[in-house]
Amino acid sequence: MKQIRLGDIAIFIVSIAIIAFSLGRFTDFSGEPQVHVRTDGGEFIYDLGVDAFATFNGPVGETSIEIKDGKVHVHDSDCRNKVCISAGWVSRVGDWIICLPNNVFVLIEGAVAQETGGVDDTAF
Amino acid sequence: MTRHSDSRLRSTVIRVEFVALLAALALFLSTVEYLIPKPVPFMRIGLANLPLIIGLGLLHEREYLLLALLKILGQGLVTGTIFSYIILFSFGGTVSSAFIMFLLYRYGRRYVSLVGISIAGAMASNITQLQLSRVILFGDAARFIAPPFLMVGFATSIVLGLFAERFVSRSSWYAEHAQQEHLA
Amino acid sequence: MRATNVKLFMGIISLPAILLQNNLIGIVLQTIYVIVLSVTSGRKFRVLPNLILLFSVSSAHLLQPNGLLLFTIGSFSVTLGALLLGARKALALIALLYLSHYMVTGKPQFPGRLGRLISLQFFYFDAITTKWRGIAPKRPFILAIDKLLHTVSEQSAGDRQRSESAPAMASAIDLARQGVHVVVLWGLFLAGSLHVLPVLI
């Protein structure tokens, strides 16, 4: 073999480490929390971590949600009571908001395991 | 390998013909590579980097920088990608690669052979390109093409490095030009 | 303006019109237009690589769900918004690619020292590719490259001078034609941003 030197081996090892790291990230399919919105028109999905604004049509008009800073709330709705708006912001997996008159159901889905602790705080 | 690098003889003259020739060689090798049938189209052997590795022992820093620049522009013009996103990848990859390789050659020559330099250059280039693709094209999903991309680059850079070492020791053209004053 | 540089200039001006395009239909039209331009000046359009590009970039964007759920593959949700966003980005890339193909068909000459260097690089590139055919045997490879380098280095500077000739200036027709392209591409951009074109996403 041509002169293989110490530095070559060092670089070789570091590179292998980098590749192994990239493989690790490859399988890291962490269930990032998603906002699922079910309406008459179908089901819509959004990433909770990405700021967004979306409007949906229902029997009584339009309902819009806003996703900001990892939280979601009903921004505006054509329903009479506006209960859905007063529900405010939600951000945890499992939280939901519903606008019954307009048939819009907002739910945060995802892997519960990434919550700190992983076990229900309210278990006791 | 003894080098007579007297700083008084440091040359700032850019040997334009010389650099252009090496840059042209890079273009030539990238067309050669293009014509080699590959099982997977994305597999880039990086033959075009050979002049950048060989040039380490032939050029001083300004010339080397120029070589890198010419390689980028030349490839961009030949492949017609010069005004698209792709040139950014080529730019980022080549610049980071050249930077690392030059530093390694300048200061680490005692510890690294051209093989290690080639690997380091390829890794630097590929990581840079992956990060760029993450920002420009794929978003976080870039991590899915990372492993195969890095692995292929790693393997091919080893082959290239070995080839470069052989070339340097056997080429008479190289020997002829390496005797000229250079800084590395 | 030199005749060789008109297309280059056109491309540079039109670049933002493609980059800033936010409308899917707009970018589709722009891409088609640019591909047609490119093909008519000689560049080949191969369906497969572009399709692969379109597919891979779109799929990558699917990983971040957005919008109407179309269907699920296992636990993976395919959303319309993400798909269209990915398609838009992929098409923008393809459009830029073919635009730059088109831009270099005029064999532009860059001004300044760098321009001359690039011309020199291409001169040697030409020399290398022609001389390479004359090199035999091509194995062992290293020795063949060695021979090639020796042969090309010995190219006289005289050859080089002869190949540089006085640049031709652009005609009014050339300018007008390129002007049309600029107008079309920017027009499509404006149509897209002013919502003249239907908004899908």
Coordinates of all heavy atoms in Angstrom, one line a residue, chain A residues 34-76:
Chain A
Q34 N -48.9 16.8 14.9 CA -49.6 17.3 13.7 C -51.0 17.8 14.1 O -51.6 17.2 15.0 CB -49.8 16.2 12.7 CG -48.4 15.7 12.2 CD -48.6 14.5 11.2 OE1 -49.6 13.9 11.3 NE2 -47.6 14.3 10.4
V35 N -51.5 18.8 13.4 CA -52.8 19.3 13.6 C -53.7 18.6 12.6 O -53.5 18.9 11.4 CB -52.9 20.8 13.5 CG1 -54.3 21.3 13.7 CG2 -51.9 21.5 14.5
H36 N -54.7 17.8 13.1 CA -55.6 17.2 12.1 C -56.9 18.0 12.2 O -57.4 18.2 13.3 CB -55.8 15.7 12.5 CG -54.7 14.8 12.1 ND1 -54.8 13.8 11.3 CD2 -53.4 14.9 12.5 CE1 -53.7 13.2 11.1 NE2 -52.8 13.8 11.8
V37 N -57.4 18.4 11.1 CA -58.7 19.0 11.0 C -59.7 18.2 10.2 O -59.4 18.0 9.0 CB -58.5 20.4 10.4 CG1 -59.9 21.2 10.4 CG2 -57.5 21.3 11.1
R38 N -60.7 17.8 10.8 CA -61.7 17.0 10.1 C -63.0 17.8 9.8 O -63.6 18.4 10.8 CB -62.1 15.7 10.9 CG -60.9 14.8 11.0 CD -61.2 13.4 11.5 NE -60.0 12.7 11.6 CZ -59.3 12.5 12.7 NH1 -59.7 12.9 13.8 NH2 -58.2 11.8 12.7
T39 N -63.3 17.9 8.6 CA -64.5 18.7 8.2 C -65.3 17.9 7.2 O -64.9 16.8 6.8 CB -64.1 20.0 7.6 OG1 -63.6 19.8 6.2 CG2 -63.0 20.7 8.3
D40 N -66.4 18.6 6.8 CA -67.2 18.0 5.7 C -66.4 17.7 4.4 O -66.6 16.8 3.7 CB -68.4 18.9 5.3 CG -69.5 18.8 6.4 OD1 -69.4 17.9 7.2 OD2 -70.3 19.7 6.4
G41 N -65.5 18.7 4.2 CA -64.7 18.6 2.9 C -63.6 17.6 3.0 O -62.9 17.5 2.0
G42 N -63.4 17.0 4.1 CA -62.2 16.1 4.1 C -61.4 16.3 5.3 O -61.7 17.1 6.2
E43 N -60.3 15.6 5.4 CA -59.4 15.7 6.5 C -58.1 16.5 6.1 O -57.6 16.3 5.0 CB -59.0 14.4 7.0 CG -58.1 14.4 8.2 CD -57.8 13.1 8.8 OE1 -58.5 12.1 8.4 OE2 -56.9 13.0 9.7
F44 N -57.7 17.4 6.9 CA -56.6 18.2 6.5 C -55.5 18.1 7.6 O -55.8 18.0 8.8 CB -56.9 19.7 6.5 CG -57.9 20.0 5.4 CD1 -59.3 19.7 5.5 CD2 -57.5 20.6 4.2 CE1 -60.2 20.0 4.5 CE2 -58.4 20.9 3.2 CZ -59.8 20.6 3.4
I45 N -54.3 18.1 7.2 CA -53.2 17.9 8.2 C -52.2 19.0 8.1 O -51.8 19.4 7.0 CB -52.5 16.5 8.0 CG1 -53.5 15.4 7.9 CG2 -51.5 16.3 9.1 CD1 -52.8 14.1 7.7
Y46 N -51.7 19.5 9.3 CA -50.7 20.5 9.3 C -49.7 20.2 10.3 O -49.9 19.5 11.3 CB -51.3 21.9 9.6 CG -52.4 22.3 8.6 CD1 -53.7 21.9 8.8 CD2 -52.0 22.9 7.4 CE1 -54.7 22.2 7.8 CE2 -53.0 23.2 6.4 CZ -54.3 22.9 6.7 OH -55.2 23.2 5.7
D47 N -48.5 20.6 10.1 CA -47.4 20.4 11.1 C -47.5 21.5 12.2 O -47.6 22.7 11.9 CB -46.1 20.6 10.4 CG -44.9 20.1 11.2 OD1 -44.9 20.4 12.4 OD2 -44.0 19.4 10.6
L48 N -47.6 21.0 13.4 CA -47.8 22.0 14.5 C -46.6 22.9 14.6 O -46.7 24.0 15.1 CB -48.0 21.2 15.8 CG -48.3 22.1 17.1 CD1 -49.7 22.8 16.8 CD2 -48.4 21.2 18.3
G49 N -45.4 22.5 14.2 CA -44.3 23.3 14.3 C -44.1 24.4 13.2 O -43.2 25.3 13.3
V50 N -45.0 24.4 12.3 CA -44.9 25.4 11.2 C -46.0 26.3 11.2 O -47.2 25.9 11.2 CB -44.9 24.6 9.8 CG1 -44.9 25.6 8.7 CG2 -43.8 23.7 9.7
D51 N -45.7 27.6 11.3 CA -46.8 28.6 11.4 C -47.6 28.5 10.1 O -47.1 28.5 9.0 CB -46.2 30.0 11.5 CG -45.5 30.2 12.8 OD1 -45.6 29.3 13.7 OD2 -44.9 31.3 13.0
A52 N -48.9 28.6 10.3 CA -49.8 28.5 9.1 C -51.2 29.1 9.5 O -51.5 29.3 10.6 CB -50.0 27.0 8.7
F53 N -51.9 29.3 8.4 CA -53.3 29.8 8.6 C -54.1 29.1 7.5 O -53.8 29.0 6.4 CB -53.2 31.3 8.3 CG -54.5 32.0 8.6 CD1 -54.6 32.6 9.9 CD2 -55.6 32.1 7.8 CE1 -55.7 33.3 10.3 CE2 -56.7 32.7 8.2 CZ -56.8 33.3 9.4
A54 N -55.3 28.5 8.0 CA -56.1 27.8 7.0 C -57.5 28.0 7.3 O -58.0 28.2 8.4 CB -55.7 26.3 7.1
T55 N -58.3 28.0 6.2 CA -59.7 28.2 6.3 C -60.5 27.0 5.8 O -60.1 26.5 4.8 CB -60.1 29.5 5.5 OG1 -59.3 30.5 5.9 CG2 -61.6 29.9 5.8
F56 N -61.6 26.7 6.5 CA -62.4 25.5 6.0 C -63.8 25.9 5.9 O -64.3 26.8 6.6 CB -62.2 24.4 7.1 CG -60.8 24.1 7.4 CD1 -60.3 24.7 8.6 CD2 -60.0 23.3 6.6 CE1 -58.9 24.5 8.9 CE2 -58.7 23.1 6.9 CZ -58.2 23.7 8.1
N57 N -64.5 25.2 5.0 CA -65.9 25.5 4.7 C -66.8 24.5 5.4 O -66.5 23.3 5.4 CB -66.2 25.5 3.2 CG -65.6 26.7 2.6 OD1 -65.7 27.8 3.1 ND2 -64.9 26.5 1.5
G58 N -67.9 24.9 6.0 CA -68.8 24.0 6.6 C -70.2 24.5 6.4 O -70.5 25.4 5.6
P59 N -71.2 23.8 7.0 CA -72.6 24.1 6.8 C -73.0 25.5 7.1 O -73.9 26.1 6.4 CB -73.3 23.1 7.7 CG -72.4 22.1 8.1 CD -71.0 22.6 7.9
V60 N -72.3 26.1 8.1 CA -72.8 27.5 8.4 C -71.8 28.6 7.9 O -72.1 29.8 8.1 CB -72.9 27.7 9.9 CG1 -74.0 26.7 10.5 CG2 -71.6 27.6 10.6
G61 N -70.7 28.2 7.2 CA -69.8 29.2 6.7 C -68.4 28.8 6.8 O -68.1 27.6 6.5
E62 N -67.5 29.7 7.2 CA -66.1 29.4 7.2 C -65.6 29.4 8.7 O -66.0 30.1 9.5 CB -65.4 30.5 6.5 CG -65.6 30.4 5.0 CD -64.7 31.4 4.2 OE1 -64.2 32.4 4.9 OE2 -64.6 31.4 3.0
T63 N -64.7 28.5 8.9 CA -63.9 28.5 10.2 C -62.5 28.5 9.8 O -62.0 27.7 9.0 CB -64.3 27.2 10.9 OG1 -65.7 27.1 11.2 CG2 -63.5 27.2 12.3
S64 N -61.7 29.3 10.5 CA -60.3 29.3 10.2 C -59.5 29.1 11.4 O -59.8 29.5 12.5 CB -59.8 30.6 9.5 OG -60.7 31.7 9.8
I65 N -58.4 28.4 11.2 CA -57.5 28.1 12.4 C -56.1 28.8 12.1 O -55.8 29.1 10.9 CB -57.2 26.6 12.6 CG1 -56.5 26.0 11.3 CG2 -58.5 25.9 12.9 CD1 -55.9 24.7 11.6
E66 N -55.4 29.1 13.2 CA -54.1 29.6 13.0 C -53.1 28.8 13.8 O -53.4 28.5 15.0 CB -54.1 31.1 13.5 CG -52.7 31.8 13.3 CD -52.7 33.2 13.9 OE1 -53.7 33.6 14.4 OE2 -51.6 33.8 13.8
I67 N -52.0 28.5 13.2 CA -51.0 27.8 13.9 C -49.8 28.7 14.1 O -49.3 29.3 13.1 CB -50.5 26.5 13.2 CG1 -51.7 25.6 12.9 CG2 -49.4 25.8 13.9 CD1 -51.3 24.4 12.0
K68 N -49.4 28.9 15.4 CA -48.3 29.9 15.6 C -47.5 29.4 16.8 O -48.1 29.1 17.8 CB -48.9 31.2 15.8 CG -47.9 32.4 15.6 CD -48.8 33.7 15.4 CE -48.1 34.9 15.7 NZ -47.0 35.5 15.8
D69 N -46.2 29.5 16.6 CA -45.3 29.1 17.8 C -45.6 27.8 18.4 O -45.7 27.7 19.6 CB -45.4 30.2 18.8 CG -44.9 31.6 18.3 OD1 -44.1 31.6 17.3 OD2 -45.4 32.6 18.8
G70 N -46.0 26.8 17.6 CA -46.3 25.5 18.2 C -47.6 25.4 18.9 O -47.8 24.5 19.6
K71 N -48.5 26.4 18.6 CA -49.8 26.3 19.2 C -50.9 26.5 18.1 O -50.6 27.1 17.1 CB -50.0 27.3 20.3 CG -49.0 27.2 21.5 CD -49.3 28.2 22.6 CE -49.1 29.6 22.1 NZ -48.1 30.3 22.8
V72 N -52.1 26.1 18.4 CA -53.1 26.3 17.4 C -54.4 26.8 18.1 O -54.7 26.4 19.2 CB -53.4 25.0 16.6 CG1 -53.9 23.9 17.5 CG2 -54.4 25.2 15.5
H73 N -55.1 27.6 17.4 CA -56.4 28.0 17.9 C -57.3 28.3 16.8 O -56.9 28.5 15.6 CB -56.3 29.2 18.9 CG -56.1 30.5 18.1 ND1 -56.6 31.7 18.6 CD2 -55.5 30.8 17.0 CE1 -56.3 32.7 17.8 NE2 -55.6 32.2 16.8
V74 N -58.6 28.4 17.1 CA -59.6 28.8 16.0 C -59.6 30.3 16.0 O -59.9 31.0 17.0 CB -61.0 28.3 16.4 CG1 -62.0 28.9 15.4 CG2 -61.0 26.8 16.4
H75 N -59.2 30.8 14.8 CA -59.0 32.3 14.7 C -60.4 33.0 14.5 O -60.6 34.0 15.0 CB -58.1 32.5 13.5 CG -57.8 33.9 13.2 ND1 -58.4 34.7 12.3 CD2 -56.9 34.7 13.9 CE1 -57.9 35.9 12.3 NE2 -57.0 36.0 13.3
D76 N -61.2 32.3 13.7 CA -62.4 33.0 13.4 C -63.4 31.9 12.9 O -63.1 30.9 12.3 CB -62.2 34.0 12.2 CG -63.3 35.0 12.2 OD1 -64.2 35.0 13.1 OD2 -63.3 35.9 11.3

